[in-house]
Amino acid sequence: MIYLNGQYMPIEKAKISVLDRGFIFGDGVYEVIPVYSRRAFRLESHLQRLQHSLDGIRLPNPHSGAAWTAIINELIARNAPQDQYLYLHITRGVAKRDHAFPNPPVKPTVFMMSNPLLTPPAALLASGVGAVSAEDNRWLRCDIKAIALLPNVLLRQMAIDAGCAETILIRENEFMTEGAASNIFVVKNGKLLAPPKDNLMLPGITYDVVLEIAAASHIPHEVRRIAAVEVFAADELLLTSSTKEVLAITTLDGKPVGTGKPGPMFARLHKLYQDFKRDVMRQPSPLPPGEG
Ligand code: PDD
């Protein structure tokens, strides 16, 4: 079951206009929210990031936080899997084709669907994945989770064409930003390095979790700009996203990263992430005082 503009329906029944500005211009934003044991993970952070994206494209938020929460919980309830990932998509609505915003404004299109959350299988965790590097040729507002993903699509396909899983993006031949659809961490001499959240990368929710886990477990870490040369000389490379969680990158441009096998930092962070999922994400939120 999906949600479209106020109604729940099977995906086959869902229809939108060919004049939707999402279809015509890619004029919209999206979110991907993982659901563990039927609970939306870090919903508040996802809704804050959604607000940031909407502000970035000057589109008023069609719903309050409470209304979003109700729609999201209803969609989770109407879909069977315990673990799901929700795809939430808002466009500037349906209007005659004109680059300028519709005036007066029209109702935004709101679409949400649920898919089973399939995290990476054991074999992939054990082997790690390959990556290629490429020039980050996207725009300067990569902090907006825009539905216009053509650069990311082309960049990701470079990895697939090389038999790899992800493309690591380098700006101006100088420094690393992120992956085509993930955030990237570098490990050197036992230290976890992460690029700073700025306009050149998507502020990942999984990125936040990994840095929080590292801090709580006293893992040496630093958030700073990472030079391209450091990526190519890394002991380990990790990628993170809501659907992939934490994965080791074991080859880059056909050469082994470190030993060419998932390293000790990956093993530690992956275990801590799974512990966190079991102990925090899957547990019911504590009842407010006076209830239960
Ligand atoms: N993508 N950077 C980019 C460019 C991304 O597309 C994503 C996620 C991330 C990681 O963000 P998070 O940890 O919040 O998932 C970083 C999602 C999964 C997608 O487009 O399907």
Side-chain angles (χ1 to χ4, degrees), residues 14-62:
K15 300 269 184 294
I16 58 155
S17 165
V18 291
L19 286 179
D20 193 283
R21 290 179 62 97
F23 183 63
I24 297 283
F25 294 118
D27 184 1
V29 296
Y30 76 107
E31 267 300 317
V32 172
I33 308 172
V35 173
Y36 293 103
S37 301
R38 314 193 72 77
R39 267 180 283 280
F41 176 58
R42 296 229 165 155
L43 184 52
E44 213 169 313
S45 309
H46 281 281
L47 292 178
Q48 272 167 13
R49 187 171 67 182
L50 177 66
Q51 185 64 55
H52 176 81
S53 296
L54 288 167
D55 292 344
I57 70 161
R58 300 168 55 191
L59 182 59
N61 195 330

Side-chain angles (χ1 to χ4, degrees), residues 30-32 34 46 49 85 87 138 142 145 149 152 169 178-183 201-207 240-244:
Y30 76 107
E31 267 300 317
V32 172
H46 281 281
R49 187 171 67 182
Y85 85 83
Y87 175 83
R138 301 173 301 164
C142 296
K145 208 162 167 56
L149 284 174
N152 304 63
L169 305 178
E178 60 178 339
S182 61
N183 291 116
M201 72 168 231
L202 186 83
I205 309 291
T206 323
Y207 164 105
T240 67
S241 81
S242 293
T243 46
K244 301 266 168 40

Side-chain angles (χ1 to χ4, degrees), residues 75-92:
L75 191 67
I76 295 171
R78 286 174 186 248
N79 284 280
Q82 291 294 304
D83 290 359
Q84 307 176 14
Y85 85 83
L86 302 182
Y87 175 83
L88 189 169
H89 177 121
I90 307 171
T91 79
R92 208 180 304 275

Side-chain angles (χ1 to χ4, degrees), residues 68-140:
W68 279 119
T69 305
I71 297 167
I72 286 166
N73 286 336
E74 183 64 30
L75 191 67
I76 295 171
R78 286 174 186 248
N79 284 280
Q82 291 294 304
D83 290 359
Q84 307 176 14
Y85 85 83
L86 302 182
Y87 175 83
L88 189 169
H89 177 121
I90 307 171
T91 79
R92 208 180 304 275
V94 178
K96 189 168 80 63
R97 185 179 181 278
D98 179 350
H99 290 61
F101 296 173
N103 189 13
V106 293
K107 257 171 95 89
T109 300
V110 179
F111 166 58
M112 213 185 296
M113 65 178 164
S114 165
N115 285 292
L117 179 64
L118 302 172
T119 50
L124 207 60
L125 294 172
S127 64
V129 297
V132 296
S133 65
E135 169 67 19
D136 191 345
N137 57 8
R138 301 173 301 164
W139 68 335
L140 299 177

